[in-house]
Amino acid sequence: MKIAENTINRLIVYKKELNRLATDGLSNVYSHKLAHLSGFPSHLVRRDLMNVGYNGSPAHGYNVTELEKCIADFLCTPESVRVILVGVGNLGRAILDYCQQQNPKISIVAAFDKDKNKVNKVYHSIYTFHIDSVKNYIKENNIDVAIITVPAAEAQEIASALVESGIKGIVNFTPVRLQVPAEVYIENLDMMLGLEKVVYFVNGD
Amino acid sequence: MKIAENTINRLIVYKKELNRLATDGLSNVYSHKLAHLSGFPSHLVRRDLMNVGYNGSPAHGYNVTELEKCIADFLCTPESVRVILVGVGNLGRAILDYCQQQNPKISIVAAFDKDKNKVNKVYHSIYTFHIDSVKNYIKENNIDVAIITVPAAEAQEIASALVESGIKGIVNFTPVRLQVPAEVYIENLDMMLGLEKVVYFVNGD
DNA sequence: TAGATTGTTAATCGATTAACAATC
DNA sequence: TAGATTGTTAATCGATTAACAATC
């Protein structure tokens, strides 16, 4: 069954909130509370949870850890994912750091750059290789996902090279709309677009 | 008339592509081409453009600069927007840099942090103030939009303080779902969520 | 003109919401 | 039990797609 992208978004949010509730020591939660924490209406929470096939009880709501695991299974969340990052500028280095703090299951295993001053250096404990070696690295290590933080002008060229080497999903931090085959999944995290959107909703209607 | 958030997203993308076309020296563009560059179907482009009230011609398509201006007007894109950033960590500093490179119309005018080693320092030519002065700064300078790049544990407290001082829109880089009044617009740029989504679409269906 | 493109209305599709029976 | 909550079906709402007349 095909699930809408928005639903996937929300499931990931639920999973994270459940994880926090578990850390806080709570064992059960009602759809109300999960809804409040996530910022969505409670009936939408219940509707979304229909997809993952976990049943709560009217008496106690949902078991926090069981539901979290159930969502993780549904999303096929692997125990560990290896990701590469291309473009070790300010933003790239910040992301190298941020990822390690946030999620131990997703690890950036290598960085790439064309600048010889950065190659062979270690940033936030990630080794930086020359960009020319990225194709081999992807193939030899079976990497599926890449983060692109290169300058806008180089984004398309890099993306094409990554896809050619077998990359199936890209987190794109550049403002460029990447032209890739339909089967490659692109997540655009365009900060400027985000800012412009906020400006629109603050000024206009 | 109320416009869907997705439509706003796309209009912002069109605007950016038009700007690039103008830079490249093109004067006219057909919906086909704009669609290809943006990654949306051409009929959706035309449908979206109905909203902004600009008329192209069957013979020459759209005038690039006129359409760009028309979208900008529709989105109430101001000539300059002043934004503040709270949390001068690795990510915060990277964004201070990135914003200046990308969009001269949106400028970060001040940064704030609680760390005394960062206060009174200048990063990427932005001055850093102590977080205690943020409320006054917002009121005195009539700031509407803030970027939050503090650690997750501090995000909600900071957000509440900002909203209390009159902030109306927030770009939230933390993984925390902020609890704010409904009239405050929040744009969540959760990198981990982005990564998890890519992993889902790459692994699962 | 002929052919391609625009602008707009109508049709479709799908996500969200509402309603409510089942459950504890 | 009574009351609250879950799970699910049906209704609504709105966005996208399709179709096509108008235009250059």
Side-chain angles (χ1 to χ4, degrees), chain B residues 76-89:
Chain B
C76 303
T77 313
E79 267 312 296
S80 78
V81 183
R82 289 172 307 148
V83 174
I84 60 169
L85 179 141
V86 185
V88 189

Side-chain angles (χ1 to χ4, degrees), chain A residues 31 46-47 50 55-56 58 62:
Chain A
S31 61
R46 291 199 298 280
R47 194 109 225 311
M50 276 183 67
N55 281 2
Y62 306 94

Side-chain angles (χ1 to χ4, degrees), chain B residues 85-158:
Chain B
L85 179 141
V86 185
V88 189
N90 285 318
L91 183 60
R93 289 198 302 275
I95 290 169
L96 289 178
D97 180 39
Y98 184 89
C99 279
Q100 291 170 79
Q101 294 174 29
Q102 296 295 332
N103 193 334
K105 290 188 176 177
I106 297 182
S107 45
I108 299 177
V109 291
F112 297 86
D113 205 290
K114 69 171 188 185
D115 182 348
K116 275 173 186 153
N117 294 318
K118 288 173 184 163
V119 170
N120 294 327
K121 296 257 169 65
V122 173
Y123 299 100
H124 301 287
S125 74
I126 311 291
Y127 195 90
T128 306
F129 298 91
H130 192 274
I131 186 65
D132 287 348
S133 60
V134 75
K135 290 192 176 191
N136 276 334
Y137 190 96
I138 291 168
K139 285 173 190 160
E140 282 171 15
N141 295 278
N142 258 307
I143 304 292
D144 288 331
V145 176
I147 299 169
I148 297 188
T149 44
V150 298
E154 299 161 28
Q156 181 58 57
E157 189 188 349
I158 294 288

Side-chain angles (χ1 to χ4, degrees), chain A residues 3 11 15 19 30 35 45 57 63 70 95 102 105 129 141 145 150 152 157 162 167 171 175 177-179 184 186:
Chain A
I3 304 281
L11 287 172
K15 182 161 67 71
N19 185 272
Y30 293 109
V45 172
S57 95
N63 179 293
C70 210
I95 290 169
Q102 296 294 332
K105 289 188 179 177
F129 298 90
N141 295 277
V145 176
V150 299
E157 189 188 349
L162 295 177
I167 286 291
V171 183
R177 308 298 284 193
L178 300 172
Q179 309 285 336
V184 176
I186 303 272

